[in-house]
Amino acid sequence: MRKPSGVLRFLALVFALVSTWIFIRSYISLNAKTIRLPRWLSEWASPRKPVAVMRAKCGLAKPCPKEFFAFKISSGAANVVGPTMCFENQVIMSPVKNNVGRGLNIALVNGTTGMVLTQKCFDMYSGEVKLLVKFLKEIPEGALVLVASYDDPGTRLNDETRKLLSSLGSSYAKQLGFRDSWVFLGAKDLKDKSPFEQFLKNNPDTNKYEGWPELLELEGCVPRKIP
């Protein structure tokens, strides 16, 4: 006859085996709910992918609405750093592109498609103002006009050029003078004054640079067709 102690040891062994089987079944299940910890550890241990930073066109703080163009215009800094123009994330004029110059830097853009039509710079210190007059008179209908000053934008301006610039929507063309800072976006035969314009008078008491005011920056969203 088997001793009672042997029976107890046998029952204890069976209990241990059953307990082990239950433990293994509970923690090593193929059910997704039972492997949250291993999955979390796997994701934590794996290298994280870099997060792509979305930037608005031309470096604006936020994207423009669907039917608007993004733009940014910076005037020149004294006679050292030239102006920069960006339209729909395309740099039209800049010192890097080597297509800016002393005076008025002007770019024309199709107001419907956003395609760049042309860009030119006009020396307003010692250049021929008639070249600027001819250019302004030939601006096509529906064109957006981007303007940035550099060094001296006003010495050579006459009444005719001021009137032509004013017809594009400028509020400050009539007072633009020697070494003033000016950035502007207008359009051909604009009925009202453009909301896109900044002007800073050359003033020895307030100039940031010796002999020049500080540079200006103008940015925003312009509708495809200015009414």
Side-chain angles (χ1 to χ4, degrees), residues 102-137:
R102 177 175 64 180
L104 293 177
N105 295 265
I106 306 177
L108 303 183
V109 177
N110 186 299
T112 302
T113 65
M115 181 173 55
V116 178
L117 303 176
T118 187
Q119 67 275 331
K120 289 187 178 182
C121 52
F122 300 90
D123 188 346
M124 291 292 100
Y125 181 75
S126 60
E128 292 289 339
V129 71
K130 63 181 181 181
L131 298 177
L132 176 59
V133 171
K134 182 177 183 297
F135 179 85
L136 295 176
K137 286 183 176 181

Side-chain angles (χ1 to χ4, degrees), residues 173-202:
K174 292 182 179 180
Q175 54 184 295
L176 189 62
F178 177 65
R179 288 184 176 178
D180 292 342
S181 287
W182 184 45
V183 283
F184 168 68
L185 187 149
K188 178 74 172 182
D189 295 325
L190 193 62
K191 295 179 180 179
D192 300 316
K193 293 302 180 183
S194 171
F196 306 114
E197 184 173 25
Q198 288 190 30
F199 172 77
L200 198 56
K201 196 69 180 174
N202 172 22

Side-chain angles (χ1 to χ4, degrees), residues 53-70:
V53 179
M54 299 298 293
R55 299 189 63 183
K57 294 178 180 179
C58 293
L60 271 61
K62 58 182 181 179
C64 292
K66 184 178 180 180
E67 296 302 319
F68 286 71
F69 293 122

Side-chain angles (χ1 to χ4, degrees), residues 13-109:
L13 177 61
V14 171
F15 178 78
L17 291 173
V18 171
S19 298
T20 303
W21 179 79
I22 293 174
F23 178 82
I24 293 173
R25 184 178 178 84
S26 299
Y27 288 90
I28 311 180
S29 172
L30 295 177
N31 191 309
K33 294 182 180 179
T34 64
I35 56 174
R36 290 178 181 176
L37 182 59
R39 180 182 297 176
W40 177 84
L41 288 174
S42 176
E43 293 178 355
W44 178 81
S46 61
R48 297 183 179 181
K49 296 180 180 180
V51 179
V53 179
M54 299 298 293
R55 299 189 63 183
K57 294 178 180 179
C58 293
L60 271 61
K62 58 182 181 179
C64 292
K66 184 178 180 180
E67 296 302 319
F68 286 71
F69 293 122
F71 75 91
K72 184 173 184 178
I73 307 173
S74 301
S75 68
N79 62 346
V80 180
V81 181
T84 301
M85 294 184 190
C86 176
F87 193 88
E88 278 295 280
N89 226 31
Q90 176 185 354
V91 177
I92 303 174
M93 304 183 76
S94 73
V96 175
K97 294 179 73 71
N98 197 30
N99 61 351
V100 296
R102 177 175 64 180
L104 293 177
N105 295 265
I106 306 177
L108 303 183
V109 177

